[in-house]
Amino acid sequence: GAGVSQSPSNKVTEKGKDVELRCDPISGHTALYWYRQSLGQGLEFLIYFQGNSAPDKSGLPSDRFSAERTGGSVSTLTIQRTQQEDSAVYLCASRPISGRGGPGTQYFGPGTRLTVL
Amino acid sequence: GEDVEQSLFLSVREGDSSVINCTYTDSSSTYLYWYKQEPGAGLQLLTYIFSNMDMKQDQRLTVLLNKKDKHLSLRIADTQTGDSAIYFCAETYTGGFKTIFGAGTRLFVKA
């Protein structure tokens, strides 16, 4: 079946512009995560959605970052007034509400590579 | 706080075994994972181990967990060039949803 998809695959923007990154999770997966992967760094947790519950935004690095998930499916990560330090690969992952292997059993999209000039 | 550490690089010859090591700090870890990331792709779950286990084997992969030392390892037998990738160690803890990832170990396989 279809996996997690993300768009665009690459995004180049100028400093100060806003960007929107999209994630389409696997159908039926109630949990959705956004991560940031910088060169040589591990995955930095950004935000977590689970069903209709309030999202956990504890990983968002500043108020320039926001995310929403509409209808429990598609999610959009928005970065306002982008800075050069925002350059990274942004990964989305989803998982079903229950399943083998605990909460770390996540299905990842291919990521969006963001470059801020 | 939680932390997961891995060495950044490993180079092996094709056909040899690879051993990738990881240490973690959270003693309440419930599950530990190994993910693989190929160039330009997202992470793919390779295997996981529950914290009450010492070892798990899955075809060419062997996971060893030393809970006392908070040490996790992934052994890949008969390493192939297709195994060249970044390998991430990760953990979750009881009652949590967050998964803490290490920085990843880049495995180079020389033909």
Side-chain angles (χ1 to χ4, degrees):
Chain A
V4 178
S5 61
Q6 293 186 244
S7 60
S9 55
N10 280 285
K11 176 72 177 178
V12 180
T13 191
E14 293 179 348
K15 178 181 171 181
K17 295 283 181 68
D18 297 351
V19 295
E20 283 190 353
L21 312 180
R22 177 186 169 108
C23 172
D24 282 85
I26 293 172
S27 177
H29 281 195
T30 57
L32 187 147
Y33 298 77
W34 282 98
Y35 295 92
R36 179 166 68 177
Q37 183 180 18
S38 302
L39 193 63
Q41 304 291 317
L43 270 66
E44 176 188 4
F45 165 78
L46 297 178
I47 189 168
Y48 165 71
F49 295 90
Q50 173 58 275
N52 295 322
S53 302
D56 186 303
K57 306 178 183 180
S58 60
L60 294 178
S62 78
D63 59 9
R64 295 186 296 105
F65 288 72
S66 63
E68 63 177 22
R69 189 177 184 192
T70 53
S73 180
V74 171
S75 178
T76 303
L77 177 70
T78 301
I79 309 173
Q80 296 178 309
R81 304 181 303 281
T82 52
Q83 304 294 311
Q84 288 183 329
E85 61 262 29
D86 299 334
S87 295
V89 175
Y90 289 82
L91 292 165
C92 173
S94 70
R95 66 175 174 86
I97 192 167
S98 62
R100 299 179 65 184
T105 303
Q106 298 172 22
Y107 298 80
F108 281 80
T112 294
R113 182 176 296 278
L114 175 65
T115 304
V116 182
L117 302 177
Chain B
E2 312 102 354
D3 194 18
V4 176
E5 293 192 356
Q6 308 176 233
S7 54
L8 293 183
F9 298 99
L10 176 65
S11 180
V12 301
R13 288 179 178 274
E14 189 174 24
D16 287 351
S17 292
S18 307
V19 179
I20 302 171
N21 294 300
C22 168
T23 57
Y24 60 97
T25 58
D26 192 342
S27 59
S28 61
S29 293
T30 309
Y31 288 94
L32 294 120
Y33 307 84
W34 285 104
Y35 276 85
K36 176 183 181 183
Q37 185 181 35
E38 298 187 26
L43 278 68
Q44 175 191 7
L45 179 66
L46 283 178
T47 187
Y48 64 90
I49 188 167
F50 193 56
S51 58
N52 67 353
M53 299 169 64
D54 298 324
M55 185 182 85
K56 181 178 181 181
Q57 187 152 4
D58 184 1
Q59 299 183 343
R60 293 191 297 123
L61 306 179
T62 302
V63 177
L64 295 179
L65 175 60
N66 182 327
K67 199 170 181 182
K68 173 176 171 289
D69 294 337
K70 300 190 184 73
H71 182 267
L72 183 74
S73 68
L74 173 69
R75 178 177 181 270
I76 306 172
D78 187 25
T79 312
Q80 303 297 306
T81 54
D83 295 324
S84 294
I86 302 175
Y87 291 81
F88 290 89
C89 171
E91 63 167 351
T92 59
Y93 51 92
T94 305
F97 65 87
K98 280 187 185 178
T99 304
I100 310 300
F101 288 84
T105 298
R106 187 178 292 273
L107 175 65
F108 296 94
V109 182
K110 296 175 287 189

